[in-house]
Amino acid sequence: MNSPSDSSFPLGTLTIGKTFDFEAGHRLPSLPPEHKCSHQHGHSYQVEVILTAPTLEAPGFVTDFGALAPFKKFLDTELDHQNLHEVLPFEPTSEHVAQFLAGWIIQNLEPDIPGRLVAVRVCETERSWARFDVEQR
């Protein structure tokens, strides 16, 4: 089996992703009353975290998936089965939630993991999602 130092491996950037989920309700009160999202409703949210690294850490990881456990704990304790408009300091659109979660990861996980956050994608349904791409740092 080839190793990363083997010349047959192409040069490039390695990227990983992990998906988490939580259940939550919300409403978007700034919308007109006739808009369905202005009323209380819920979603089975899926959150995809995408990380990259120019080189791999032993034994060959961008980031050990286990190192993302604090993020899962945050979702479970702070957002799961909550009314998002009551626990978040902004209107909880998927776009805002993706940007907020990216900020949490950068502040709370990145100092302790080898990978760097590329993007966070928040899905409200199988066909509806928002993605926040982190500016290159």
Side-chain angles (χ1 to χ4, degrees):
M1 182 157 161
N2 293 338
S3 70
S5 60
D6 189 315
S7 63
S8 67
F9 273 50
L11 296 176
T13 303
L14 295 148
T15 304
I16 63 168
K18 184 159 177 74
T19 302
F20 303 87
D21 54 49
F22 68 96
E23 305 288 330
H26 75 146
R27 61 185 172 82
L28 303 175
S30 68
L31 291 173
E34 62 274 8
H35 193 290
K36 67 181 182 177
C37 293
S38 70
H39 304 282
Q40 182 70 33
H41 61 285
H43 297 289
S44 295
Y45 287 93
Q46 285 196 325
V47 178
E48 182 180 16
V49 175
I50 302 164
L51 301 164
T52 191
T55 60
L56 298 179
E57 295 289 314
F61 292 152
V62 168
T63 295
D64 184 340
F65 288 120
L68 303 178
F71 181 65
K72 175 65 174 154
K73 183 177 180 182
F74 173 77
L75 293 176
D76 289 348
T77 59
E78 302 298 322
L79 302 183
D80 191 44
H81 285 83
Q82 299 293 321
N83 280 318
L84 297 182
H85 57 277
E86 294 175 359
V87 298
L88 295 174
F90 49 81
E91 192 145 9
T93 63
S94 291
E95 294 86 344
H96 285 152
V97 172
Q99 190 173 20
F100 169 76
L101 294 175
W104 190 94
I105 291 166
I106 290 167
Q107 186 173 32
N108 295 283
L109 281 185
E110 272 200 1
D112 301 320
I113 62 174
R116 293 293 153 246
L117 186 66
V118 172
V120 173
R121 190 171 93 142
V122 173
C123 303
E124 290 185 352
T125 70
E126 286 184 22
R127 294 183 294 264
S128 300
W129 55 268
R131 177 173 157 154
F132 177 77
D133 291 298
V134 179
E135 285 189 2
Q136 195 169 14
R137 299 166 273 146

